[in-house]
Amino acid sequence: MTTYDWASAPAHQAIHCGCKVSWKYYDNSYDAEAASKAAEHDAEIQLRRGYDFGYCCPGSIRWVEPGTKFGGDNGRWEVCFP
């Protein structure tokens, strides 16, 4: 199993990096779903290699309210990445 071809991944509008994962933000749910699938795929590979994501869950999607730091003017979808 190989890692996802990130060149064909949807473009994100913002990113926040943490110690074990990062979060990318998308304007629409379609791009967030596609990115989530890629994140889950890469997380499976990294889990097999023994990586610990702590309490974070790569591939998870949540709505970020408008007007917040990463929510932009209209709100965005946040996807957790390994």
Side-chain angles (χ1 to χ4, degrees), residues 4 7 12 14-15 19 21-22 24 31 35 42-43 46 56 58-60 66 68 70-71 75 77-78:
Y4 183 78
H12 57 274
I15 188 169
C19 294
V21 296
S22 62
K24 294 183 182 180
D31 286 349
D42 277 3
Q46 291 185 27
C56 300
S60 63
T68 58
F70 295 104
W77 297 96
E78 176 188 81

Side-chain angles (χ1 to χ4, degrees), residues 10-38:
H12 57 274
Q13 284 66 50
I15 188 169
H16 175 78
C17 297
C19 294
K20 294 188 176 211
V21 296
S22 62
W23 297 268
K24 294 183 182 180
Y25 299 86
Y26 298 88
D27 285 338
N28 64 67
S29 61
Y30 178 79
D31 286 349
E33 286 286 336
S36 172
K37 300 271 186 247

